[in-house]
Amino acid sequence: MQSTSVQDATIHVGLIMDGNGRWAEARGLPRGVGHEAGVATVRRVARAAPAQGIDTLTLYAFSSDNWRRPAAEVTGLMGLLRLYLTREVEMLRRDGVRLTVIGRRDRLPAGLADAIAAAEAATRGGTRLHLRIALDYSARDAILAAARQAAPDASREEFGRLVTGDGAPEVDLVIRTSGEQRLSDFLLWESAYAELHFTPCAWPDFGEAELVAAMTAFRARQRRFGGLPAAA
C-alpha cells in the first residue's frame, strides 16, 4: 500500500472544541460567556471549512461525560444549542450546509430533540458541507451499540456504518484546541488513521487563520496507512 496524497481529496475534520471556560476565567468572566463566544467560533469555522477542502466537519459539543459538570453550566450549554438551532439554521440552509447531530437524544431537555430533528430536515439538501454536532456523545458507546447490532460476519465497512450512523467517512484530521492532547472518547473508530493537530489556542480564539494553519500542516504530512512511503 502506497501513501496517499491529501492535496486534492475531500477531507473529514473532527474538531474538539476545548477551552471555552478557561478562556472566560482568564478574563475574569463567567464560564458561560466563554461558551457564548465559542458559538460564534462555530459559525466562523463552518464558513471557512469548504475553502480548505473540508466537506465533513464534526464538532465535539458535549460528551456523555459532560453531564458531570455543574447543573447550571449544563443548562446553559443546552440553552445555547437551542438558540443556535433557532438562529443559525436558515443561514446554514442558504450556505448549503447539511446539519446532523450524533449521540444520544433521550437525555436532552424537553423539546430539544424535536428542534434538532427539524434543523436536520431543513438542511437535508445541503451539499457544500456536512456539519455534524456530537452531542451527549461517546465513541465507546457508539462502538458498543454497533457491536450489539452487527451481524457476526459483518465486514469492517458494514460495522463502520453502524458506528457512524449517518454514513460519514473516516476522519482525516482531528484538531483539539486549548493545549490538551487527548481524544476524550471522540470518534475513536473513525479516527483510526487520522492525523492529530493540537493547538494552544482556546476555542473562542480559533478562527480561519488557525484552521488554515492546521490544514497546511496536515497537507505537509505523508499518510501511509500502514504501507510504505510513496516512490520518489
Side-chain angles (χ1 to χ4, degrees), residues 86-105:
T86 301
R87 292 183 174 179
E88 303 290 329
V89 166
E90 181 56 28
M91 183 190 72
L92 294 174
R93 190 190 64 78
R94 290 198 307 267
D95 288 348
V97 177
R98 173 190 171 200
L99 176 69
T100 60
V101 174
I102 61 173
R104 293 181 61 170
R105 303 190 187 187

Side-chain angles (χ1 to χ4, degrees), residues 32 34-37 39 74-85:
H35 294 309
E36 291 173 8
V39 172
V74 170
T75 298
L77 284 166
M78 294 298 164
L80 281 173
L81 177 62
R82 196 186 300 270
L83 190 63
Y84 178 82
L85 294 172

Side-chain angles (χ1 to χ4, degrees), residues 3 16 18 33 49 85 87 95 98 113 136 158 197:
S3 61
I16 302 174
D18 198 12
V33 175
L85 294 172
R87 292 183 174 179
D95 288 348
R98 173 190 171 200
D136 194 0
E158 291 167 338
H197 180 88

Side-chain angles (χ1 to χ4, degrees), residues 140-222:
R140 289 175 293 185
D141 285 352
I143 293 168
L144 181 60
R148 288 170 174 161
Q149 297 177 60
D153 59 348
S155 67
R156 182 182 293 183
E157 291 74 19
E158 291 167 338
F159 187 80
R161 285 193 289 272
L162 291 173
V163 172
T164 64
D166 61 3
E170 292 188 358
V171 177
D172 299 290
L173 174 66
V174 174
I175 302 171
R176 182 165 188 155
T177 61
S178 200
E180 303 291 349
Q181 299 186 19
R182 56 181 178 270
L183 291 178
S184 297
D185 200 14
F186 179 59
L187 301 179
L188 300 180
W189 174 273
E190 301 92 317
S191 299
Y193 273 102
E195 299 293 318
L196 306 178
H197 180 88
F198 302 110
T199 172
C201 179
W203 178 245
D205 291 329
F206 194 91
E208 183 175 3
E210 288 73 26
L211 182 64
V212 169
M215 295 304 297
T216 299
F218 169 72
R219 287 189 168 92
R221 301 181 189 182
Q222 188 176 63

Side-chain angles (χ1 to χ4, degrees), residues 50-86:
Q52 294 303 310
I54 300 168
D55 67 342
T56 304
L57 177 64
T58 305
L59 304 179
Y60 206 6
F62 190 87
S63 79
S64 295
D65 290 328
N66 285 155
W67 291 112
R68 302 173 184 173
R69 294 191 176 189
E73 182 170 349
V74 170
T75 298
L77 284 166
M78 294 298 164
L80 281 173
L81 177 62
R82 196 186 300 270
L83 190 63
Y84 178 82
L85 294 172
T86 301

